[in-house]
C-alpha cells in the first residue's frame, strides 16, 4: 500500500500544503525535515482526507506530479 506525506510548508503561489506519494517517488518531494507522515492509504484520496481532518484550516491539495488524481488547484 502506498505511503504519503504532506509538506509542512505551503506552496508560495497557492498557499496549498501538498500531499505526496512517497512510494511512487516524486521529483517535487519536499526536503525530509519538511515532511509530515500521513501513513499508508489505498489512494491519495484517503491521505488528503486525513490531512484535511488534521489541519482543517490549511489548503490541502495533491501534488500534480505524484498525486494527480487529488490535484485540484
Amino acid at each position: 500500500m502506498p505511503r504519503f506525506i504532506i509538506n509542512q510548508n505551503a506552496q508560495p503561489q497557492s498557499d496549498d500544503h501538498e500531499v505526496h506519494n512517497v512510494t511512487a517517488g516524486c521529483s517535487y518531494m519536499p526536503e525530509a525535515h519538511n515532511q509530515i507522515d500521513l501513513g499508508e492509504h489505498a489512494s491519495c484520496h484517503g491521505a488528503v482526507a486525513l490531512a484535511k481532518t488534521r489541519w482543517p484550516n490549511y489548503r490541502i491539495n495533491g501534488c500534480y506530479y505524484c498525486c494527480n488524481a487529488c490535484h485540484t488547484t
Side-chain angles (χ1 to χ4, degrees):
M1 193 172 304
R3 189 170 65 84
F4 296 86
I5 60 95
I6 188 168
N7 187 346
Q8 74 177 3
N9 297 325
Q11 296 300 304
Q13 311 89 329
S14 63
D15 204 34
D16 289 348
H17 292 263
E18 290 188 331
V19 172
H20 292 270
N21 183 332
V22 176
T23 305
C26 181
S27 300
Y28 296 92
M29 195 78 66
E31 294 185 30
H33 64 272
N34 291 324
Q35 297 178 15
I36 301 171
D37 187 45
L38 295 173
E40 294 182 340
H41 299 272
S43 74
C44 62
H45 299 287
V48 168
L50 175 62
K52 286 182 177 184
T53 62
R54 286 189 184 172
W55 299 283
N57 298 322
Y58 283 10
R59 286 177 45 112
I60 297 172
N61 197 6
C63 171
Y64 176 83
Y65 299 97
C66 66
C67 292
N68 190 267
C70 295
H71 180 76
T72 58
T73 56

